[in-house]
């Protein structure tokens, strides 16, 4: 059997890679064929953000999306999960805002000490490399997110996989 | 899950090197493939897939912004 050995499951036009950079940090990267200011705009305007943050394939729907993009400003996203009786809210504060270059925010829905997310937008020849780092307070915090995510996310991931299969074939 | 759905799932897992399958008569057997299939790898892959789906959608939004900008640029030059 000639099984493929690459780390990515399938060839995609623009590859999304994930790397565990340390025992408390995960980094996702992707290149967009657009200037950084446009990617940043899509990341910060609520009417644009709500169109992609919760992809249709996740089965979730975004009920509301509020962003006050400035240092100390807050954001609040409310989702409905398939099969969940109550909507779930995700919220936090922006710690750093550098238009077209960098956005740092806290994730406080699980209480204080949640992970801090840093998105960087690096433009090279009209394309933008986006890196999203999720830095947990401790190794244990990342481990806890992984454990709960693995349980809660399993069925959701299969639904996404279903959707990806439909789009790839 | 339907049989067709299951076939697709297995196909993707096989493509990713997570399982190897062998068909004998009407029965297709799966065993673990060369890729390390532990909880961490699986979770990281789920994490990657969430972001990939998200970024695919972001790509569409960004492309639309690009088109809008080109259009507006043309309008201004007129």
């Amino acid at each position: 059997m000639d099984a493929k050995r690459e780390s990515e499951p399938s060839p995609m036009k623009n590859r999304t890679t994930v790397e565990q950079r340390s025992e408390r940090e995960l980094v996702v990267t992707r290149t967009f064929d657009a200037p950084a200011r446009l990617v940043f705009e899509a990341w910060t305007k609520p009417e644009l953000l709500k169109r992609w943050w919760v992809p249709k394939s996740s089965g979730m729907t975004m009920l509301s999306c509020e962003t006050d993009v400035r240092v100390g400003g807050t954001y609040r996203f409310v989702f409905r999960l398939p099969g969940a009786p109550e909507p779930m809210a995700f919220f936090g504060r922006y710690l750093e805002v550098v238009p077209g270059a960098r956005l740092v925010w806290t994730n406080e829905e699980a209480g204080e000490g949640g992970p801090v997310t840093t998105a960087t937008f690096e433009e090279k020849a009209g394309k933008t490399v986006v890196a999203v780092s999720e830095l947990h307070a401790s190794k244990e915090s990342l481990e806890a997110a992984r454990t709960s995510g693995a349980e809660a996310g399993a069925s959701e991931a299969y639904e996404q996989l279903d959707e990806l299969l439909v789009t790839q074939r | 899950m339907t049989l067709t759905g299951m076939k697709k799932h297995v196909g993707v897992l096989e493509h990713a090197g997570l399982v190897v399958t062998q068909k004998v008569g009407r029965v297709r057997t799966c065993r673990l493939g060369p890729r390390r299939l532990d909880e961490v790898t699986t979770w990281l892959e789920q994490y990657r897939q969430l972001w990939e789906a998200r970024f695919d959608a972001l790509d569409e939004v960004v492309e639309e912004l690009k088109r809008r900008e080109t259009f507006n640029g043309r309008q201004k030059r007129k």
Side-chain angles (χ1 to χ4, degrees):
Chain A
M1 230 357 118
D2 180 28
K4 290 210 169 188
R5 282 167 194 267
E6 303 97 80
S7 60
E8 299 305 325
S10 56
M12 297 284 290
K13 199 172 58 161
N14 296 306
R15 291 190 350 158
T16 302
T17 59
V18 60
E19 180 201 351
Q20 181 154 4
R21 199 165 281 175
S22 76
E23 58 189 19
R24 59 191 193 96
E25 186 178 19
L26 294 170
V27 181
V28 187
T29 51
R30 163 104 161 206
T31 303
F32 292 87
D33 186 15
R37 63 188 160 76
L38 292 186
V39 184
F40 189 85
E41 185 183 344
W43 209 289
T44 48
K45 282 191 177 163
E47 69 274 20
L48 297 174
L49 185 64
K50 71 190 297 185
R51 288 175 50 196
W52 65 271
W53 188 261
V54 177
K56 284 196 197 83
S57 59
S58 69
M60 294 186 279
T61 44
M62 205 160 186
L63 300 178
S64 68
C65 174
E66 293 155 30
T67 63
D68 178 11
V69 188
R70 54 187 169 136
V71 175
T74 57
Y75 70 87
R76 188 179 176 86
F77 306 152
V78 182
F79 304 146
R80 184 182 302 284
L81 279 80
E86 297 293 326
M88 276 178 79
F90 292 80
F91 51 89
R93 279 173 301 123
Y94 294 100
L95 299 179
E96 287 179 49
V97 178
V98 184
R102 187 178 164 89
L103 202 57
V104 182
W105 67 89
T106 62
N107 297 270
E108 297 176 27
E109 56 276 356
E112 283 190 17
V116 171
T117 313
T118 301
T120 56
F121 307 83
E122 195 186 342
E123 192 173 319
K124 285 179 193 162
K127 292 182 190 259
T128 301
V129 179
V130 174
V132 182
S133 148
E134 191 177 293
L135 182 64
H136 288 258
S138 64
K139 179 187 174 185
E140 289 70 28
S141 159
L142 173 58
E143 190 66 17
R146 187 175 68 71
T147 311
S148 66
E151 287 163 10
S155 63
E156 200 182 296
Y158 275 112
E159 281 170 31
Q160 283 175 20
L161 188 56
D162 256 339
E163 201 59 41
L164 285 166
L165 288 163
V166 170
T167 55
Q168 280 174 29
R169 302 266 149 136
Chain B
M1 194 183 286
T2 63
L3 181 60
T4 321
M6 180 57 88
K7 276 181 182 165
K8 282 184 176 176
H9 280 303
V10 171
V12 165
L13 293 175
E14 187 168 21
H15 188 66
L18 292 172
V19 301
V20 173
T21 72
Q22 192 180 16
K23 198 174 181 188
V24 179
R26 294 171 56 198
V27 181
R28 184 175 285 281
T29 349
C30 293
R31 59 189 169 80
L32 287 181
R35 234 180 116 189
R36 203 166 58 104
L37 179 61
D38 60 20
E39 206 188 314
V40 176
T41 315
T42 311
W43 180 73
L44 268 186
E45 179 53 21
Q46 286 175 0
Y47 187 80
R48 195 191 69 79
Q49 283 183 9
L50 167 68
W51 277 97
E52 181 153 77
R54 217 172 238 183
F55 283 157
D56 284 346
L58 173 57
D59 224 3
E60 286 177 26
V61 174
V62 166
E63 284 301 318
E64 199 181 294
L65 292 178
K66 262 169 71 181
R67 282 197 297 273
R68 184 200 65 190
E69 204 161 72
T70 315
F71 179 75
N72 288 344
R74 274 194 213 118
Q75 296 288 95
K76 273 180 202 156
R77 276 195 292 274
K78 274 182 186 172

